[in-house]
Amino acid sequence: MPDTSVALESMPMRHVILNCGVPPLQAAESHSLSAIPTRTELKIINTICKEVLPEDPTPSLDEIAASPNVAHLGAPGPAPQLIDDPLRLIVHGTDAALAAVLTRLMRIDALWAEVAFIPSEESTVAQAWGLPKEKEFAFEAPVKPKPLIRDDAGQAVAHSATISDWDGREITGEIIVDDTVLLHHSARTRNPRKGQYGARLISTFDAPGIEGNRILSSEHPGGFWQKVLPVAPSLIDATAHQGRAMQAGGVNLRITIDGQSRKRPVERATFYRHLRDLQAVRA
């Protein structure tokens, strides 16, 4: 696989820090936003991207989708836009804040922008991306493209998502990764300590883009186990299945992306690889 990292020393770059609910870092250009930025707040990204790239000469998403060439389904690669002064957005905040910024970039089709992350607390993204504690990394490290995963509600996944029962019980439903049935289960009357509680999705660094595992216990089991056991992370099945898409259908499903749950339960959900790759600053 060719090295798709981009050296920064040879090119000028515009760095923009997005401070999300945290004390702002000092920089030439920074903006203070909510802990999880709202759509209105994130309009600043539209303005910045238009300043850097007023018109995108590359094929649109519709044109890519209609093309018989499926190169976009393979190994992730650098953005095709050739920009004299690249843009790097540095998100300073939580995993959920990063996911909100990625969602905005995806929706305005500006994933050519480089994205770095400075976590403000313990972060699964930082751990997965191998981010050091030194903040200079976000400014100086090279880009390493990776697939971007999204759901059918137009939300981007920074690192992980889960499909579970809304009330923390065993799941009733079916979850499929590409053509493989990951889980097919009907909840029992009583909630066991170990059982079928849903699935976890991880956004991988290479094709096909998704890794799915079954969840074998609930963080909030309720009943007897709630009284005798402390709240603990869910048990995850070691057997992983990879694919481009994960689909779920069932009863009373909770969809959680990078620690943030949807506001109401659903009966179905789909996650899949986006047509553009994420230009991530990672180890």
Side-chain angles (χ1 to χ4, degrees):
M1 176 180 173
D3 183 4
T4 54
S5 62
V6 180
L8 300 179
E9 293 81 359
S10 60
M11 59 178 68
M13 179 172 294
R14 180 175 176 180
H15 294 87
V16 178
I17 298 182
L18 303 175
N19 297 292
C20 301
V22 293
L25 297 176
Q26 297 300 318
E29 186 173 359
S30 66
H31 302 272
S32 293
L33 311 175
S34 301
I36 301 180
T38 66
R39 293 184 180 182
T40 299
E41 289 176 317
L42 289 172
K43 287 182 179 179
I44 187 64
I45 294 179
N46 301 49
T47 302
I48 294 169
C49 289
K50 276 292 184 182
E51 291 171 353
V52 175
L53 186 66
E55 297 293 336
D56 189 343
T58 65
S60 67
L61 290 174
D62 289 339
E63 291 170 332
I64 294 174
S67 173
N69 182 359
V70 292
H72 59 275
L73 302 182
Q81 293 83 355
L82 301 177
I83 302 173
D84 292 333
D85 300 322
L87 169 66
R88 177 169 294 191
L89 299 176
I90 301 172
V91 181
H92 179 208
T94 64
D95 291 356
L98 176 61
V101 171
L102 298 184
T103 296
R104 169 59 62 166
L105 289 173
M106 179 187 71
R107 290 182 176 180
I108 66 174
D109 198 18
L111 286 170
W112 47 264
E114 299 179 5
V115 179
F117 182 46
I118 299 176
S120 59
E121 60 183 37
E122 186 175 346
S123 164
T124 57
V125 173
Q127 183 177 9
W129 288 16
L131 303 182
K133 294 182 179 180
E134 293 76 17
K135 295 179 176 60
E136 290 77 14
F137 184 89
F139 293 85
E140 301 170 357
V143 160
K144 294 183 179 179
K146 68 177 297 296
L148 179 73
I149 304 304
R150 57 168 294 171
D151 71 0
D152 51 356
Q155 300 292 318
V157 178
H159 176 61
S160 65
T162 59
I163 302 167
S164 60
D165 178 76
W166 185 263
D167 300 314
R169 298 184 56 79
E170 276 200 302
I171 196 170
T172 294
E174 183 176 69
I175 301 175
I176 298 173
V177 177
D178 284 357
D179 297 325
T180 301
V181 177
L182 183 67
L183 179 153
H184 182 89
H185 186 70
S186 294
R188 287 167 278 184
T189 303
R190 293 189 176 184
N191 223 26
R193 183 178 177 186
K194 294 182 180 180
Q196 305 294 322
Y197 285 88
R200 180 190 67 179
L201 173 154
I202 295 295
S203 175
T204 63
F205 294 139
D206 208 340
I210 287 175
E211 180 176 290
N213 304 72
R214 289 182 300 135
I215 300 174
L216 303 180
S217 70
S218 174
E219 290 186 353
H220 305 282
F224 172 76
W225 296 115
Q226 182 80 34
K227 298 176 183 178
V228 300
L229 293 175
V231 175
S234 300
L235 296 175
I236 304 296
D237 188 355
T239 303
H241 299 272
Q242 294 194 343
R244 276 196 68 246
M246 176 184 283
Q247 301 179 67
V251 179
N252 206 38
L253 301 179
R254 181 186 293 274
I255 307 301
T256 304
I257 298 177
D258 294 307
Q260 291 296 305
S261 170
R262 288 193 193 177
K263 295 182 179 180
R264 56 186 62 87
V266 299
E267 294 183 350
R268 60 183 60 86
T270 302
F271 292 86
Y272 56 95
R273 182 176 174 180
H274 191 56
L275 295 177
R276 307 252 195 220
D277 294 323
L278 174 61
Q279 306 304 305
V281 178
R282 58 185 182 85

